[in-house]
Amino acid sequence: MRHKLDRADSLNPSRARPLRIAPTSPPAAKNKGDNMEFMPLKGIRVLDFSHVIAGPFASHYLAQMGADVLKVENVNGGDVMRRNAKGPRSYLAFNAGKKHLALDITSEEGRKRVLDEVARADILLDNLKPGTLEKNGFGPDDLSKINPRLIYCAISGFGREGTWSKRLAYDHVVQAATGMMLMAGGEGDPPIKTGFPVIDTATGIIGALAIVSALHERERTGRGTFLDVSMTGAAMQLMYPFACEAMTTGESPSRVGNQGYSGSPAADLFSTADGRIALGVNTPKQFLALLGVLGMLDAAENPDFFEMPIDASAPASFLRSRDPAALKAALAERISAWSGEQLERELMEVQVPAAQVQRIGEFAEQALRQGGLARVRLEEGEDYVHSPGLGFRTRQL
Protein backbone atom coordinates (compact mmCIF):
# COMPACT_ATOMS: atom_id res chain seq x y z
CA MET A 1 0.00 0.00 0.00
CA ARG A 2 1.27 3.47 -0.84
CA HIS A 3 0.63 5.79 2.10
CA LYS A 4 0.50 8.90 -0.05
CA LEU A 5 -1.13 12.13 1.00
CA ASP A 6 -2.16 14.44 -1.80
CA ARG A 7 -3.35 18.00 -1.38
CA ALA A 8 -5.99 17.21 -4.00
CA ASP A 9 -7.57 14.85 -1.50
CA SER A 10 -8.90 17.89 0.34
CA LEU A 11 -11.09 18.69 -2.65
CA ASN A 12 -11.96 15.25 -3.94
CA PRO A 13 -13.84 12.94 -1.54
CA SER A 14 -13.45 10.02 -3.92
CA ARG A 15 -9.69 10.08 -3.29
CA ALA A 16 -10.27 9.16 0.37
CA ARG A 17 -10.28 5.38 0.15
CA PRO A 18 -10.51 2.81 2.96
CA LEU A 19 -8.08 0.07 3.80
CA ARG A 20 -9.67 -3.31 3.14
CA ILE A 21 -10.23 -5.74 6.01
CA ALA A 22 -10.29 -9.49 5.41
CA PRO A 23 -10.11 -12.59 7.59
CA THR A 24 -7.22 -14.99 7.08
CA SER A 25 -9.45 -18.00 6.48
CA PRO A 26 -12.26 -18.57 3.94
CA PRO A 27 -15.65 -17.11 5.01
CA ALA A 28 -17.18 -20.54 5.55
CA ALA A 29 -14.51 -21.46 8.09
CA LYS A 30 -14.20 -18.04 9.66
CA ASN A 31 -14.23 -17.84 13.45
CA LYS A 32 -16.96 -15.43 14.52
CA GLY A 33 -14.76 -14.54 17.46
CA ASP A 34 -12.70 -12.28 15.21
CA ASN A 35 -15.65 -9.80 15.28
CA MET A 36 -15.75 -9.51 11.50
CA GLU A 37 -19.55 -9.88 11.55
CA PHE A 38 -20.05 -7.72 14.65
CA MET A 39 -20.99 -4.31 13.24
CA PRO A 40 -23.09 -2.50 15.90
CA LEU A 41 -21.85 0.93 14.74
CA LYS A 42 -22.76 0.51 11.08
CA GLY A 43 -24.08 3.82 9.77
CA ILE A 44 -22.27 5.93 12.40
CA ARG A 45 -20.06 8.62 10.86
CA VAL A 46 -16.82 9.64 12.57
CA LEU A 47 -14.70 12.66 11.70
CA ASP A 48 -11.30 11.74 13.07
CA PHE A 49 -8.70 14.45 13.80
CA SER A 50 -6.29 12.15 15.61
CA HIS A 51 -2.73 10.98 15.15
CA VAL A 52 -0.03 8.73 16.61
CA ILE A 53 -1.66 6.10 18.92
CA ALA A 54 -4.23 7.10 21.57
CA GLY A 55 -6.78 8.79 19.29
CA PRO A 56 -6.30 6.45 16.31
CA PHE A 57 -6.73 3.45 18.60
CA ALA A 58 -10.08 4.84 19.79
CA SER A 59 -11.30 5.30 16.21
CA HIS A 60 -9.80 1.90 15.33
CA TYR A 61 -12.30 0.31 17.69
CA LEU A 62 -15.13 2.30 16.13
CA ALA A 63 -14.07 1.39 12.58
CA GLN A 64 -13.72 -2.30 13.41
CA MET A 65 -17.26 -2.26 14.80
CA GLY A 66 -18.65 -0.86 11.56
CA ALA A 67 -18.42 2.93 11.89
CA ASP A 68 -17.56 5.00 8.81
CA VAL A 69 -14.38 6.79 9.93
CA LEU A 70 -12.88 9.65 7.92
CA LYS A 71 -9.35 10.28 9.19
CA VAL A 72 -8.23 13.83 8.49
CA GLU A 73 -4.46 14.32 8.21
CA ASN A 74 -2.37 17.39 7.57
CA VAL A 75 -1.08 17.98 4.07
CA ASN A 76 2.57 18.06 5.13
CA GLY A 77 3.17 14.34 5.41
CA GLY A 78 0.16 13.34 7.48
CA ASP A 79 0.22 11.24 10.64
CA VAL A 80 3.79 10.77 11.87
CA MET A 81 3.05 7.05 12.27
CA ARG A 82 3.28 6.77 8.50
CA ARG A 83 7.03 7.26 8.91
CA ASN A 84 7.41 5.19 12.07
CA ALA A 85 10.71 3.36 12.36
CA LYS A 86 8.86 0.03 12.40
CA GLY A 87 7.50 0.69 8.93
CA PRO A 88 3.94 0.89 7.58
CA ARG A 89 2.64 -1.98 9.73
CA SER A 90 2.14 0.23 12.80
CA TYR A 91 0.15 2.78 10.81
CA LEU A 92 -1.86 0.06 9.10
CA ALA A 93 -2.68 -1.66 12.41
CA PHE A 94 -4.17 1.47 13.95
CA ASN A 95 -5.87 2.87 10.85
CA ALA A 96 -7.27 -0.06 8.88
CA GLY A 97 -10.86 0.37 7.79
CA LYS A 98 -10.74 4.17 7.79
CA LYS A 99 -10.93 6.60 4.90
CA HIS A 100 -8.03 9.01 4.72
CA LEU A 101 -8.16 12.67 3.77
CA ALA A 102 -5.34 15.21 3.48
CA LEU A 103 -6.67 18.61 4.50
CA ASP A 104 -5.38 22.07 5.31
CA ILE A 105 -7.96 23.13 7.88
CA THR A 106 -6.70 26.73 7.83
CA SER A 107 -7.58 27.19 4.14
CA GLU A 108 -10.98 28.34 2.94
CA GLU A 109 -11.55 25.04 1.10
CA GLY A 110 -10.42 23.06 4.13
CA ARG A 111 -12.69 24.93 6.55
CA LYS A 112 -15.68 24.44 4.26
CA ARG A 113 -14.97 20.72 3.98
CA VAL A 114 -14.69 20.36 7.76
CA LEU A 115 -18.00 22.14 8.34
CA ASP A 116 -19.71 20.05 5.66
CA GLU A 117 -18.44 16.86 7.31
CA VAL A 118 -19.42 18.06 10.79
CA ALA A 119 -22.99 18.65 9.66
CA ARG A 120 -23.25 14.96 8.72
CA ALA A 121 -21.08 13.45 11.47
CA ASP A 122 -22.14 11.64 14.60
CA ILE A 123 -18.75 11.85 16.29
CA LEU A 124 -15.73 14.13 16.12
CA LEU A 125 -12.52 12.79 17.61
CA ASP A 126 -9.71 15.22 18.44
CA ASN A 127 -6.30 14.41 19.89
CA LEU A 128 -4.34 17.16 18.20
CA LYS A 129 -2.38 19.63 20.30
CA PRO A 130 -4.95 21.07 22.76
CA GLY A 131 -6.52 24.20 21.29
CA THR A 132 -5.65 23.45 17.65
CA LEU A 133 -9.22 22.87 16.48
CA GLU A 134 -10.63 25.57 18.78
CA LYS A 135 -8.18 28.10 17.31
CA ASN A 136 -9.64 27.39 13.89
CA GLY A 137 -13.24 27.72 15.04
CA PHE A 138 -13.87 23.98 15.38
CA GLY A 139 -14.25 23.73 19.15
CA PRO A 140 -17.10 21.73 20.73
CA ASP A 141 -19.29 24.76 21.44
CA ASP A 142 -18.81 26.10 17.90
CA LEU A 143 -19.63 22.81 16.22
CA SER A 144 -22.57 22.03 18.49
CA LYS A 145 -24.35 25.03 16.96
CA ILE A 146 -23.97 23.42 13.54
CA ASN A 147 -24.82 19.89 14.68
CA PRO A 148 -26.48 19.65 18.12
CA ARG A 149 -26.29 15.83 17.97
CA LEU A 150 -22.50 15.81 17.53
CA ILE A 151 -20.49 13.85 20.08
CA TYR A 152 -17.16 15.61 20.51
CA CYS A 153 -14.41 13.47 22.07
CA ALA A 154 -11.22 15.33 23.00
CA ILE A 155 -8.25 13.15 23.90
CA SER A 156 -5.25 14.83 25.52
CA GLY A 157 -2.38 14.17 27.88
CA PHE A 158 -3.65 15.93 30.99
CA GLY A 159 -7.32 16.69 30.27
CA ARG A 160 -9.07 19.86 29.13
CA GLU A 161 -9.71 21.25 32.63
CA GLY A 162 -7.28 22.82 35.09
CA THR A 163 -3.94 24.53 34.73
CA TRP A 164 -2.37 21.49 33.05
CA SER A 165 -4.81 21.53 30.13
CA LYS A 166 -2.25 22.86 27.62
CA ARG A 167 0.49 20.51 28.81
CA LEU A 168 1.76 18.11 26.14
CA ALA A 169 2.50 14.44 26.71
CA TYR A 170 3.65 11.13 25.33
CA ASP A 171 3.13 7.72 26.89
CA HIS A 172 6.44 7.53 28.76
CA VAL A 173 6.03 11.12 30.01
CA VAL A 174 2.65 10.25 31.54
CA GLN A 175 4.12 7.06 33.02
CA ALA A 176 6.63 9.30 34.81
CA ALA A 177 4.10 11.94 35.88
CA THR A 178 1.52 9.53 37.30
CA GLY A 179 3.88 7.34 39.31
CA MET A 180 3.58 4.32 37.03
CA MET A 181 7.36 4.20 36.54
CA LEU A 182 7.73 3.80 40.29
CA MET A 183 5.21 0.97 40.46
CA ALA A 184 7.40 -1.46 38.52
CA GLY A 185 10.56 -2.94 40.00
CA GLY A 186 11.53 -3.13 43.63
CA GLU A 187 12.45 -0.55 46.24
CA GLY A 188 15.77 1.05 45.35
CA ASP A 189 15.51 0.26 41.64
CA PRO A 190 15.58 3.16 39.15
CA PRO A 191 12.25 4.12 37.53
CA ILE A 192 11.13 1.47 35.03
CA LYS A 193 8.96 2.25 32.01
CA THR A 194 6.40 -0.31 30.90
CA GLY A 195 7.89 -1.68 27.70
CA PHE A 196 4.98 -0.84 25.40
CA PRO A 197 2.66 2.20 25.07
CA VAL A 198 0.26 0.94 27.72
CA ILE A 199 -1.28 4.34 28.49
CA ASP A 200 -1.80 5.22 24.82
CA THR A 201 -3.72 2.02 24.16
CA ALA A 202 -5.71 2.24 27.40
CA THR A 203 -6.65 5.83 26.55
CA GLY A 204 -7.92 4.68 23.17
CA ILE A 205 -10.04 1.95 24.74
CA ILE A 206 -11.51 4.36 27.30
CA GLY A 207 -12.17 6.86 24.53
CA ALA A 208 -14.07 4.26 22.51
CA LEU A 209 -16.07 3.26 25.61
CA ALA A 210 -16.94 6.90 26.31
CA ILE A 211 -18.05 7.44 22.71
CA VAL A 212 -20.24 4.33 22.62
CA SER A 213 -21.80 5.39 25.94
CA ALA A 214 -22.48 8.87 24.57
CA LEU A 215 -24.17 7.36 21.50
CA HIS A 216 -26.49 5.44 23.80
CA GLU A 217 -27.17 8.60 25.83
CA ARG A 218 -27.98 10.51 22.63
CA GLU A 219 -30.71 8.00 21.86
CA ARG A 220 -32.38 9.11 25.10
CA THR A 221 -31.78 12.88 24.96
CA GLY A 222 -31.30 13.66 21.27
CA ARG A 223 -28.28 15.79 22.17
CA GLY A 224 -24.57 15.39 21.73
CA THR A 225 -21.96 15.28 24.49
CA PHE A 226 -18.48 16.67 25.05
CA LEU A 227 -16.10 13.94 26.23
CA ASP A 228 -12.84 14.85 27.95
CA VAL A 229 -10.55 11.79 27.85
CA SER A 230 -7.01 12.10 29.19
CA MET A 231 -3.95 9.91 29.26
CA THR A 232 -3.48 10.70 32.95
CA GLY A 233 -7.05 9.59 33.61
CA ALA A 234 -6.38 6.35 31.76
CA ALA A 235 -3.20 5.80 33.79
CA MET A 236 -5.18 6.14 37.01
CA GLN A 237 -7.72 3.62 35.74
CA LEU A 238 -4.91 1.18 34.99
CA MET A 239 -3.59 1.62 38.54
CA TYR A 240 -7.11 1.79 39.98
CA PRO A 241 -6.78 -0.01 43.36
CA PHE A 242 -3.51 1.78 44.10
CA ALA A 243 -4.91 5.11 42.90
CA CYS A 244 -7.87 4.71 45.25
CA GLU A 245 -5.55 3.96 48.16
CA ALA A 246 -3.33 6.93 47.37
CA MET A 247 -6.31 9.29 47.01
CA THR A 248 -7.76 8.03 50.30
CA THR A 249 -4.65 7.94 52.48
CA GLY A 250 -2.24 10.21 50.64
CA GLU A 251 0.34 7.43 50.68
CA SER A 252 2.01 5.70 47.75
CA PRO A 253 2.31 1.89 47.75
CA SER A 254 5.64 0.17 48.14
CA ARG A 255 7.32 -1.30 45.07
CA VAL A 256 7.00 -5.08 45.12
CA GLY A 257 8.94 -6.25 42.08
CA ASN A 258 7.27 -9.25 40.45
CA GLN A 259 5.06 -10.19 43.38
CA GLY A 260 1.34 -10.60 42.67
CA TYR A 261 -1.25 -8.10 43.91
CA SER A 262 -2.33 -10.43 46.74
CA GLY A 263 1.06 -10.13 48.44
CA SER A 264 1.30 -13.90 48.82
CA PRO A 265 4.92 -15.12 49.02
CA ALA A 266 3.93 -17.87 46.57
CA ALA A 267 2.52 -15.40 44.01
CA ASP A 268 5.76 -14.23 42.48
CA LEU A 269 8.41 -14.93 39.88
CA PHE A 270 10.71 -17.92 40.43
CA SER A 271 13.76 -19.26 38.62
CA THR A 272 13.54 -22.76 37.16
CA ALA A 273 16.33 -24.93 35.80
CA ASP A 274 15.87 -23.43 32.34
CA GLY A 275 14.19 -20.06 32.77
CA ARG A 276 11.64 -18.28 34.93
CA ILE A 277 8.04 -19.00 35.88
CA ALA A 278 5.32 -16.82 37.36
CA LEU A 279 3.10 -18.45 39.98
CA GLY A 280 -0.32 -17.14 40.98
CA VAL A 281 -0.64 -19.03 44.27
CA ASN A 282 -2.88 -16.70 46.25
CA THR A 283 -5.13 -18.90 48.42
CA PRO A 284 -4.47 -21.69 50.92
CA LYS A 285 -6.13 -24.19 48.57
CA GLN A 286 -3.84 -23.21 45.70
CA PHE A 287 -0.86 -23.29 48.06
CA LEU A 288 -1.57 -26.85 49.15
CA ALA A 289 -1.87 -27.89 45.51
CA LEU A 290 1.50 -26.29 44.79
CA LEU A 291 3.10 -28.05 47.77
CA GLY A 292 1.68 -31.36 46.54
CA VAL A 293 3.31 -30.93 43.14
CA LEU A 294 6.61 -29.87 44.69
CA GLY A 295 6.58 -32.65 47.31
CA MET A 296 6.61 -30.13 50.16
CA LEU A 297 3.33 -30.80 51.99
CA ASP A 298 5.11 -30.70 55.33
CA ALA A 299 5.67 -26.95 54.81
CA ALA A 300 1.93 -26.40 55.38
CA GLU A 301 2.41 -27.40 59.03
CA ASN A 302 5.79 -25.76 59.60
CA PRO A 303 5.47 -23.36 62.58
CA ASP A 304 8.30 -21.26 61.15
CA PHE A 305 6.03 -20.38 58.21
CA PHE A 306 2.52 -20.47 59.70
CA GLU A 307 0.97 -19.91 63.11
CA MET A 308 -1.56 -22.65 62.36
CA PRO A 309 -1.50 -25.49 59.78
CA ILE A 310 -2.97 -24.54 56.39
CA ASP A 311 -6.61 -25.61 56.03
CA ALA A 312 -7.88 -25.86 52.45
CA SER A 313 -11.51 -25.93 53.62
CA ALA A 314 -11.24 -22.55 55.37
CA PRO A 315 -12.99 -19.55 53.78
CA ALA A 316 -11.09 -18.19 50.80
CA SER A 317 -8.45 -15.64 51.72
CA PHE A 318 -5.01 -14.56 50.58
CA LEU A 319 -2.14 -16.64 51.83
CA ARG A 320 -0.17 -15.09 54.70
CA SER A 321 3.01 -16.35 56.33
CA ARG A 322 4.85 -15.59 59.57
CA ASP A 323 8.06 -15.33 57.55
CA PRO A 324 7.27 -14.61 53.89
CA ALA A 325 10.93 -14.26 52.88
CA ALA A 326 11.90 -17.63 54.36
CA LEU A 327 8.88 -19.36 52.79
CA LYS A 328 9.64 -17.86 49.38
CA ALA A 329 13.28 -18.95 49.70
CA ALA A 330 12.24 -22.52 50.48
CA LEU A 331 9.91 -22.60 47.49
CA ALA A 332 12.56 -21.04 45.25
CA GLU A 333 15.10 -23.72 46.17
CA ARG A 334 12.72 -26.53 45.24
CA ILE A 335 11.44 -24.84 42.07
CA SER A 336 14.98 -24.21 40.80
CA ALA A 337 15.41 -27.93 40.12
CA TRP A 338 12.32 -28.16 37.86
CA SER A 339 12.08 -27.50 34.15
CA GLY A 340 9.68 -24.64 33.52
CA GLU A 341 7.63 -26.59 31.00
CA GLN A 342 7.08 -29.55 33.32
CA LEU A 343 6.19 -27.40 36.33
CA GLU A 344 3.79 -25.29 34.28
CA ARG A 345 2.09 -28.41 32.95
CA GLU A 346 1.71 -30.09 36.34
CA LEU A 347 0.44 -26.95 38.04
CA MET A 348 -2.13 -26.42 35.29
CA GLU A 349 -3.40 -29.95 35.97
CA VAL A 350 -4.09 -29.11 39.63
CA GLN A 351 -5.68 -25.73 38.81
CA VAL A 352 -2.80 -23.54 39.95
CA PRO A 353 -2.21 -20.45 37.77
CA ALA A 354 1.32 -20.58 36.36
CA ALA A 355 3.11 -19.45 33.22
CA GLN A 356 6.67 -19.51 31.99
CA VAL A 357 8.10 -16.12 31.15
CA GLN A 358 8.25 -15.77 27.38
CA ARG A 359 8.21 -13.20 24.60
CA ILE A 360 5.06 -11.94 22.92
CA GLY A 361 5.87 -13.78 19.68
CA GLU A 362 6.10 -17.10 21.53
CA PHE A 363 2.76 -16.51 23.23
CA ALA A 364 1.01 -15.43 20.03
CA GLU A 365 2.17 -18.53 18.18
CA GLN A 366 0.96 -20.82 20.98
CA ALA A 367 -2.36 -19.01 21.47
CA LEU A 368 -3.17 -19.12 17.76
CA ARG A 369 -2.33 -22.82 17.63
CA GLN A 370 -4.53 -23.80 20.56
CA GLY A 371 -7.47 -21.56 19.60
CA GLY A 372 -7.29 -18.98 22.36
CA LEU A 373 -6.53 -16.15 19.96
CA ALA A 374 -8.17 -15.28 16.65
CA ARG A 375 -6.18 -13.65 13.88
CA VAL A 376 -7.61 -10.91 11.64
CA ARG A 377 -5.75 -9.82 8.52
CA LEU A 378 -5.81 -6.10 7.76
CA GLU A 379 -4.64 -5.45 4.23
CA GLU A 380 -4.59 -3.41 1.08
CA GLY A 381 -2.63 -4.37 -1.99
CA GLU A 382 0.59 -6.10 -1.01
CA ASP A 383 0.71 -4.56 2.48
CA TYR A 384 -0.88 -6.35 5.39
CA VAL A 385 -0.68 -6.83 9.12
CA HIS A 386 -2.13 -9.55 11.32
CA SER A 387 -4.23 -8.25 14.21
CA PRO A 388 -5.51 -9.92 17.40
CA GLY A 389 -8.90 -8.27 16.85
CA LEU A 390 -10.66 -6.15 19.46
CA GLY A 391 -9.83 -8.20 22.52
CA PHE A 392 -13.24 -9.84 22.84
CA ARG A 393 -15.28 -12.36 20.93
CA THR A 394 -18.94 -12.43 20.03
CA ARG A 395 -21.64 -14.90 19.12
CA GLN A 396 -25.31 -14.40 18.39
CA LEU A 397 -27.69 -15.42 21.19
Side-chain angles (χ1 to χ4, degrees):
M1 176 181 174
R2 300 292 185 267
H3 293 310
K4 289 185 177 179
L5 285 174
D6 189 324
R7 187 178 296 269
D9 282 349
S10 64
L11 305 176
N12 185 354
S14 66
R15 295 287 295 279
R17 57 194 181 97
L19 304 178
R20 187 165 61 87
I21 307 172
T24 54
S25 53
K30 188 178 64 177
N31 186 338
K32 291 184 179 180
D34 63 14
N35 298 301
M36 295 298 297
E37 297 177 354
F38 184 65
M39 296 289 167
L41 299 184
K42 186 175 182 179
I44 296 296
R45 297 174 63 93
V46 182
L47 187 57
D48 182 10
F49 291 92
S50 71
H51 62 150
V52 192
I53 297 178
F57 198 50
S59 57
H60 165 79
Y61 262 78
L62 306 180
Q64 298 301 294
M65 290 191 286
D68 181 6
V69 179
L70 178 60
K71 178 178 170 66
V72 179
E73 303 182 49
N74 70 70
V75 295
N76 297 316
D79 191 331
V80 68
M81 290 292 285
R82 289 179 178 272
R83 298 173 299 285
N84 186 279
K86 299 189 182 301
R89 290 190 300 275
S90 294
Y91 182 85
L92 186 63
F94 289 117
N95 294 289
K98 306 173 187 178
K99 297 175 182 176
H100 302 259
L101 180 65
L103 200 63
D104 177 3
I105 64 173
T106 66
S107 69
E108 181 179 349
E109 297 94 337
R111 288 180 54 80
K112 182 178 183 304
R113 179 65 187 274
V114 170
L115 295 177
D116 287 346
E117 293 293 342
V118 165
R120 300 195 300 270
D122 297 285
I123 298 154
L124 185 143
L125 181 60
D126 167 24
N127 86 320
L128 301 177
K129 180 180 177 181
T132 298
L133 290 186
E134 289 88 342
K135 179 177 64 178
N136 288 279
F138 303 138
D141 294 328
D142 300 312
L143 299 186
S144 179
K145 296 174 184 176
I146 298 171
N147 182 353
R149 290 174 57 83
L150 183 70
I151 295 166
Y152 193 116
C153 180
I155 293 178
S156 61
F158 291 83
R160 295 301 179 96
E161 301 291 336
T163 58
W164 286 350
S165 61
K166 302 298 184 184
R167 191 172 172 181
L168 303 183
Y170 283 102
D171 187 284
H172 69 284
V173 173
V174 177
Q175 286 194 40
T178 59
M180 188 176 289
M181 282 187 179
L182 292 176
M183 295 290 291
E187 293 296 341
D189 289 341
I192 300 174
K193 181 183 82 72
T194 300
F196 58 95
V198 58
I199 297 177
D200 275 329
T201 50
T203 303
I205 293 170
I206 292 173
L209 172 63
I211 288 169
V212 170
S213 300
L215 285 170
H216 184 71
E217 172 73 358
R218 193 180 69 176
E219 289 298 305
R220 186 177 65 84
T221 67
R223 298 286 302 185
T225 305
F226 174 69
L227 303 170
D228 182 0
V229 178
S230 70
M231 294 173 68
T232 51
M236 296 299 271
Q237 293 296 307
L238 288 168
M239 300 185 291
Y240 193 79
F242 302 102
C244 291
E245 184 69 18
M247 293 176 73
T248 303
T249 67
E251 298 179 359
S252 298
S254 300
R255 300 170 76 182
V256 296
N258 293 304
Q259 188 176 56
Y261 175 66
S262 71
S264 164
D268 211 318
L269 191 67
F270 295 87
S271 293
T272 63
D274 52 5
R276 290 184 175 87
I277 190 169
L279 303 186
V281 181
N282 293 312
T283 67
K285 183 177 180 180
Q286 292 169 337
F287 182 64
L288 288 174
L290 169 67
L291 295 182
V293 169
L294 296 178
M296 295 179 61
L297 282 172
D298 57 332
E301 300 180 0
N302 188 330
D304 292 337
F305 299 150
F306 304 104
E307 293 182 0
M308 297 181 62
I310 296 295
D311 181 3
S313 64
S317 62
F318 290 146
L319 183 70
R320 292 291 179 262
S321 170
R322 295 180 64 175
D323 192 341
L327 176 57
K328 181 181 175 183
L331 293 171
E333 182 179 4
R334 187 63 62 92
I335 290 170
S336 66
W338 285 68
S339 82
E341 182 179 0
Q342 181 183 1
L343 183 57
E344 180 186 73
R345 182 174 62 251
E346 294 201 22
L347 290 178
M348 287 171 60
E349 290 176 357
V350 295
Q351 298 293 293
V352 172
Q356 297 178 82
V357 176
Q358 57 188 2
R359 295 185 179 274
I360 186 173
E362 295 173 300
F363 169 76
E365 180 183 357
Q366 295 165 8
L368 288 167
R369 188 168 58 244
Q370 60 87 29
L373 184 66
R375 176 169 21 210
V376 176
R377 182 181 173 102
L378 311 176
E379 65 179 24
E380 182 172 333
E382 296 180 356
D383 289 336
Y384 72 93
V385 63
H386 286 149
S387 160
L390 297 181
F392 63 91
R393 291 181 166 185
T394 64
R395 67 179 177 87
Q396 194 70 48
L397 296 177

